[in-house]
Amino acid sequence: MDLADFHFIRGYYLLLLIPILALWWRIRSKPLAETKLPTGIAPHLAEALLLGKEDTRRTQPIDAAMIIATLVIFAASGPTWSRAPNPLIADTAPLVIALKVTDSMESSDLAPSRLDRARFKISDLINERAGARTALIAYAGTPHRVAPLTEDANILRPLLEGLTPAVMPKDGDAAADALELAQSILNDSDSPGAVLFVLDDLDPSQVSGLSSSNTEIFFLTMLPVGGRIAQLDSIQNASVVAFSNDDRDVTQLTRRIQSAYTAALDDDDRLDWQDKGWILAWPAALLSLLWFRKGWVVRWAILALIVLPTSGARAEGWRDWFFTPDQQGQIAMNQKRFGEAAEVFEDPYHRGYAYLRDGQYAEASSVFSKLDTPEAAFAEGMARIRNREYRPAISAFEAALERRPNWPEAQHNLDVSKAILDYVETTREQSDTGEEAGIGADDTVFDNDAARGSDTTVQAAKDGPQSLSADQWISMIDTDMQDFLKNRFLLENQDQTE
């Protein structure tokens, strides 16, 4: 809790404290003035004749009522000290990972190599931040964007495996340029993010470029235990985490990144402040139990029993007394119980998003397809592409662009969907026609050019080659990933030099 950010969202409710205190002072009984004992009677008998003499209680029902009313007023005023992140954008910090891919990372002092261990650590970090948006950059002499911000770890893993020094077009250490590329990626995000460098060394010439950045920068040093990079000491506000053989480094990084994200949200005026008034409702409810003491007013409880419905009351439905279905769904989302949240949400957009986070892509796309907002079309495209429904995904991203023209994220995902579809269909054609298998003079082939992408049924011999499944097509893409990245990086490098 940052006391500097503490304030009341609805401070005008505090004015109600004035009449509450005045009413308490007016009603609360005052101690009786000392009464002289009558003369002519034994003192112990005279004291027994005084009414109210034994009523020496310091706490009265009006005191408890005043405290409860004060707590309720403070709760209604909306005490807060942190921003509420938008759950439809991200509930965790966007992160750009910049991986150094050089010959030094092939060193085997971290078996099997520094680069392999870096891949493992990045994969563990992605798993730890499940559902968070992560982008990937590879750099050596030049930086290259490997993947944009995405929540789908299945997209990042094959690209990560394809990164080797052989695919990098130029040797060197362009960490400052990698940071500039990472910042351009984060600029397209709707929430503040951070950059993580995974490296084993840093060229001293890059220190000034890293120090001048306002972006939160973290470093994971891929060196044997006890090793350190002295140049990182010169970078202001650098958060350095050393490699460890267990999960301590990943856990530490996750906590630091999330803490930086929470602090950055406090400066984002686009986000609402998170109302913490509900915390005060619990002590107010506990104090209200004092009204059941002997001699205290309990008529309010009898009235409540009369007002409450007599039918349909169940113990397991107590949450409905305090929270709306959408509030219960948001609580479940915050606790990463996405499947339960999807069943509770009444708002269709929130329900579809919960299905998406839970991996129920068919249900999510079904919900989003019934909405007519650009965000819903964009989310439908994300759900369908994760479900490998590439043509419907293309249609959904096109619909998002129709509803919101010049939307860069939708345009980027549309291009990616078309590229994946083209690659899958090209691979399918080659599988159907045997183009890459080497066709003999007496072989029988099927020309599928006329119906590209359509479903084709072929009765093959039991001992002959079988048609490739969708999973096998994706696997073929993965095996060619190094060639794909190498060619793409070469083209990008040529464009930068021209």
Side-chain angles (χ1 to χ4, degrees):
M1 175 179 175
D2 190 351
L3 294 179
D5 294 323
F6 180 83
H7 65 281
F8 291 96
I9 300 175
R10 298 172 294 274
Y12 49 85
Y13 276 102
L14 297 176
L15 295 175
L16 294 175
L17 290 174
I18 299 176
I20 289 294
L21 292 175
L23 186 63
W24 169 77
W25 182 259
R26 178 84 177 179
I27 295 177
R28 196 179 197 280
S29 60
K30 305 298 187 297
L32 296 175
E34 184 176 354
T35 305
K36 294 183 179 180
L37 296 177
T39 59
I41 303 177
H44 66 282
L45 296 177
E47 289 183 1
L49 296 176
L50 296 178
L51 297 178
K53 183 64 177 180
E54 298 298 329
D55 190 11
T56 59
R57 293 176 299 175
R58 296 182 179 180
T59 303
Q60 301 179 15
I62 189 60
D63 298 332
M66 187 273 296
I67 296 175
I68 293 173
T70 302
L71 290 173
V72 170
I73 290 173
F74 276 114
S77 301
T80 183
W81 53 84
S82 62
R83 298 277 187 176
N86 187 343
L88 303 180
I89 298 175
D91 64 352
T92 313
L95 178 67
V96 179
I97 301 176
L99 174 62
K100 185 180 180 183
V101 186
T102 59
D103 291 334
S104 65
M105 290 287 286
E106 294 284 351
S107 176
S108 60
D109 53 0
L110 294 180
S113 71
R114 295 177 180 178
L115 185 58
D116 288 329
R117 296 300 288 270
R119 292 195 192 100
F120 298 151
K121 290 297 182 180
I122 293 175
S123 296
D124 291 342
L125 182 62
I126 293 172
N127 293 334
E128 187 74 16
R129 290 165 32 87
R133 292 179 296 165
T134 307
L136 182 60
I137 290 175
Y139 76 94
T142 53
H144 300 275
R145 181 170 67 172
V146 180
L149 286 172
T150 178
E151 298 176 3
D152 193 349
N154 295 324
I155 294 177
L156 296 175
R157 290 192 182 98
L159 293 168
L160 188 62
E161 291 298 325
L163 291 176
T164 64
V167 307
M168 305 305 294
K170 185 178 179 181
D171 295 333
D173 186 350
D177 293 337
L179 177 60
E180 183 177 352
L181 177 58
Q183 289 174 326
S184 67
I185 295 175
L186 291 176
N187 289 337
D188 295 333
S189 175
D190 293 324
S191 54
V195 180
L196 170 64
F197 280 89
V198 183
L199 72 175
D200 63 344
D201 196 8
L202 180 64
D203 192 315
S205 63
Q206 303 297 309
V207 171
S208 60
L210 297 179
S211 300
S212 60
S213 173
N214 294 326
T215 305
E216 291 286 344
I217 307 177
F218 300 87
F219 296 90
L220 176 60
T221 57
M222 300 306 301
L223 294 172
V225 177
R228 56 186 297 271
I229 302 175
Q231 294 88 328
L232 297 181
D233 298 337
S234 303
I235 301 177
Q236 297 179 354
N237 300 324
S239 183
V240 182
V241 176
F243 165 84
S244 66
N245 290 317
D246 51 20
D247 294 335
R248 287 178 299 173
D249 48 1
V250 174
T251 302
Q252 190 175 3
L253 276 172
T254 303
R255 290 176 179 174
R256 292 188 184 184
I257 293 170
Q258 187 62 32
S259 297
Y261 175 60
T262 302
L265 287 179
D266 292 340
D267 298 327
D268 193 342
D269 294 334
R270 298 172 301 171
L271 301 176
D272 296 330
W273 288 98
Q274 197 166 18
D275 193 337
K276 302 291 187 178
W278 61 271
I279 298 176
L280 299 176
W282 294 107
L286 292 175
L287 285 174
S288 66
L289 298 178
L290 294 175
W291 286 75
F292 289 96
R293 292 183 60 186
K294 181 181 178 180
W296 289 41
V297 180
V298 295
R299 286 177 293 180
W300 67 272
I302 299 175
L303 178 62
L305 293 176
I306 297 175
V307 173
L308 287 176
T310 58
S311 62
R314 297 178 300 173
E316 63 270 18
W318 66 271
R319 293 182 179 86
D320 296 334
W321 300 353
F322 302 98
F323 304 104
T324 66
D326 287 338
Q327 289 174 333
Q328 296 178 43
Q330 186 57 57
I331 292 173
M333 287 288 290
N334 295 339
Q335 298 174 352
K336 299 187 182 300
R337 295 182 284 111
F338 305 121
E340 180 181 337
E343 299 300 326
V344 175
F345 270 128
E346 288 185 346
D347 183 271
Y349 193 89
H350 286 72
R351 185 169 66 254
Y353 182 77
Y355 277 131
L356 180 63
R357 294 295 303 275
D358 194 48
Q360 302 184 50
Y361 302 130
E363 291 79 0
S365 57
S366 176
V367 173
F368 288 130
S369 63
K370 299 175 183 178
L371 305 178
D372 57 359
T373 62
E375 292 80 9
F378 183 90
E380 179 188 355
M382 295 296 298
R384 292 193 181 279
I385 198 172
R386 293 181 186 181
N387 207 30
R388 295 181 180 176
E389 302 176 30
Y390 302 119
R391 290 187 183 278
I394 291 173
S395 300
F397 288 128
E398 289 176 343
L401 287 171
E402 290 178 0
R403 299 170 186 174
R404 182 186 294 176
N406 302 322
W407 191 358
E409 289 84 358
Q411 184 62 53
H412 174 80
N413 287 353
L414 176 61
D415 296 339
V416 171
S417 302
K418 289 181 177 180
I420 294 176
L421 178 63
D422 182 72
Y423 197 101
V424 169
E425 290 186 341
T426 300
T427 306
R428 176 185 292 179
E429 288 179 5
Q430 294 172 355
S431 174
D432 290 344
T433 62
E435 179 180 332
E436 292 187 348
I439 303 173
D442 297 329
D443 291 338
T444 302
V445 300
F446 299 90
D447 188 354
N448 193 33
D449 287 340
R452 177 175 181 171
S454 62
D455 294 334
T456 304
T457 303
V458 179
Q459 185 67 34
K462 294 183 179 180
D463 56 350
Q466 302 296 319
S467 299
L468 295 178
S469 65
D471 291 334
Q472 290 172 321
W473 292 330
I474 297 298
S475 298
M476 290 182 64
I477 298 176
D478 296 345
T479 57
D480 295 335
M481 190 58 68
Q482 288 190 11
D483 293 336
F484 169 73
L485 291 175
K486 182 177 182 179
N487 293 331
R488 201 184 85 183
F489 291 171
L490 283 172
L491 291 174
E492 291 178 356
N493 190 49
Q494 290 176 2
D495 293 339
Q496 293 173 1
T497 56
E498 290 178 357

